[in-house]
Amino acid sequence: MEEQIRMKERIEQLVSEIDSLKAASLEEVEQLRLKYLSKKGMVSVLFDDFKSVPAEMKRDVGQLLNDLKTRANQRIDSLKSSFDRGESVSKVNLDLTRPAGHIQPGSRHPLSVVRNRIIKIFDRIGFTVAEGPEIEDDLHNFSALNFTPDHPARDMQDTFFIATNPDILLRTHTSSVQIRTMETTNPPIRMIFPGRVFRNEAISARAHCIFHQVEGLYINKDVSFADLKQTLMYFAKEMFGEDTEIRLRPSYFPFTEPSGEMDVSCNICGGTGCNICKYTGWVEILGCGMVDPNTLEHCGIDPQVYTGFAFGMGIERITMLKYQVKDLRLFFENDVRFLRQFTGYSV
Ligand code: DAH
């Protein structure tokens, strides 16, 4: 009995001693380990004495002894690991005062650069920006824009339809946003509509199934074709340079009457002829026209009171011309060797 009490006291004393152990270095931790846990260490010696504890007390005392050993091991381990961490820092020779490694600056995608530039150019003459849905219905993409039911643009070859509902499609142009705007806004309207459009085209150097357009719309009293021409000329000079010339050719779009296509003088060869302008000196960049009275009427705008013009351009085409990019696929591959060339084009 006396033996057991003595043993218990020694264990308790060791527990409190171990709990308050401190060390100033790894060497000191090792000395503590030897002192308590080596073969001749203080904890191990208690295990030797355990043999003489009477059988009926062995269970109690054994439990206390095991707890003590676990505790001692944990304490030594935690002291050791606090130095391990310090040691690994000094091993890699970390110098927090050294300058950081160089981080390559990112760059805007060229299509974003040009889209933002287009927005800025039109902003200066009072055009605001709006967007519309990429998933459209037949009404806004075709019918309200005066497309006849058998128009080839409605063909499955050109348009992505939803199989379960032929009324739903991926918009083929941003002209759909003209309709949405005129349905909800009273003139005067002076807006541009940038966005993604989709057509069922095989991917090549000149075509892609996803591309980008900017649509423009101006509706007011007494808007004339001269206003359209002046606006587009201003745009072309701002985008491609003061020397740029424009020419308008007659064309056909169901939602404008009259309709035109606009060419700019080729800014690659300066108009003398190259393979980009196919040796004509001119490059087509957009479609345009005076908004058809049927379209105005559909949107609840009185064509006897208001007139207006609209235009639509492909952002890829403008970007290719501006930065002499010869293959459309480069815009979608995201090869950093291509994209890096636009670092600093921050518009
Ligand atoms: N939506 C036409 C296209 O994708 C481009 C266009 C032509 C837009 C004439 C217009 C316009 O606003 O007046 O080919």
Side-chain angles (χ1 to χ4, degrees), residues 10-60:
R10 282 167 69 197
I11 292 173
E12 270 166 24
Q13 198 190 330
L14 268 182
V15 166
S16 70
E17 206 175 306
I18 282 167
D19 278 353
S20 55
L21 284 182
K22 287 197 172 50
S25 66
L26 266 180
E27 290 76 48
E28 279 189 35
V29 179
E30 179 57 13
Q31 276 161 21
L32 290 174
R33 193 188 67 78
L34 292 171
K35 181 174 171 191
Y36 293 99
L37 292 165
S38 68
K39 265 206 166 146
K40 297 258 171 287
M42 293 170 78
V43 175
S44 314
V45 168
L46 276 182
F47 273 89
D48 291 341
D49 296 350
F50 179 66
K51 286 174 198 135
S52 54
V53 172
E56 69 274 17
M57 299 167 190
K58 270 203 154 76
R59 211 170 147 248
D60 250 14

Side-chain angles (χ1 to χ4, degrees), residues 172-175 178 199 213 215-216 253 255-256 260 287-289 310-313:
T172 58
H173 52 183
T174 42
S175 304
Q178 278 188 39
R199 284 184 202 174
Q213 289 188 334
E215 189 83 8
F253 297 99
F255 43 96
T256 42
C288 59
F311 55 88
M313 63 183 96

Side-chain angles (χ1 to χ4, degrees), residues 217-232:
L217 180 69
Y218 178 46
I219 309 283
N220 208 343
K221 289 177 181 155
D222 300 326
V223 179
S224 73
F225 201 93
D227 297 317
L228 168 62
K229 187 175 175 188
Q230 191 61 39
T231 304
L232 294 180

Side-chain angles (χ1 to χ4, degrees), residues 103-169:
I103 299 172
Q104 278 268 334
S107 56
R108 261 190 221 292
H109 192 283
L111 295 177
S112 300
V113 171
V114 170
R115 185 200 52 202
N116 292 350
R117 202 181 166 114
I118 296 170
I119 291 172
K120 275 201 168 172
I121 291 172
F122 282 103
D123 174 65
R124 288 203 282 274
I125 52 170
F127 282 75
T128 54
V129 178
E131 288 183 345
E134 293 177 348
I135 301 173
E136 260 301 359
D137 51 23
D138 182 280
L139 178 74
H140 292 91
N141 198 82
F142 293 129
S143 303
L145 286 160
N146 217 19
F147 282 81
T148 51
D150 54 354
H151 194 283
R154 294 174 184 251
D155 197 286
M156 302 274 273
Q157 298 299 319
D158 289 328
T159 304
F160 289 111
F161 289 97
I162 306 298
T164 50
N165 184 353
D167 190 41
I168 305 295
L169 48 93

